[in-house]
Amino acid sequence: MKDRMTLGHIADVAESAALTMADGRATERIVEACDWRDIRTKEKNRIDNALRRLNAHDRAFARAVLGGKSWRDLGVSRQAFSVRLKKVEKVISAR
């Protein structure tokens, strides 16, 4: 007990409860952990199918945005970025 930090009664109770309570999503977490490769493959296929509807120029833009690029990184104005993003979104969401 000498090396344990005292955080207070509420923190101690919360920690004890977290260690003793059952996890309601335990089975789902295990399945997700086992099937992560299959889940990622299906997500990639959905994205690729959606991007096929775009022309090559818009597809490169969409991949850059999905990769985390911002309007500053792409070297375009904020307004042009927003207009182009809406255009890509409209094409992808159209069935």
Side-chain angles (χ1 to χ4, degrees):
M1 191 73 174
K2 67 177 185 169
D3 295 329
R4 184 171 175 180
M5 181 188 301
T6 305
L7 299 175
H9 178 69
I10 294 173
D12 192 37
V13 169
E15 183 180 337
S16 297
L19 294 173
T20 58
M21 290 177 60
D23 184 6
R25 285 198 63 228
T27 305
E28 294 172 27
R29 290 180 205 275
I30 292 169
V31 170
E32 288 173 2
C34 292
D35 293 341
W36 68 271
R37 184 174 289 145
D38 186 46
I39 291 169
R40 295 287 180 193
T41 303
K42 287 179 182 178
E43 288 175 355
K44 184 184 178 309
N45 288 340
R46 277 190 224 121
I47 292 170
D48 289 343
N49 288 338
L51 293 181
R52 279 192 198 116
R53 298 180 195 154
L54 301 171
N55 62 35
H57 194 62
D58 289 337
R59 190 178 309 128
F61 172 77
R63 288 201 184 277
V65 172
L66 288 172
K69 301 276 185 181
S70 68
W71 60 275
R72 287 185 185 105
D73 298 331
L74 295 174
V76 297
S77 70
R78 187 182 223 168
Q79 183 180 8
F81 181 86
S82 296
V83 167
R84 193 146 176 221
L85 191 60
K86 279 195 177 212
K87 176 186 171 191
V88 168
E89 179 185 358
K90 191 175 184 180
V91 171
I92 288 175
S93 64
R95 288 262 175 197

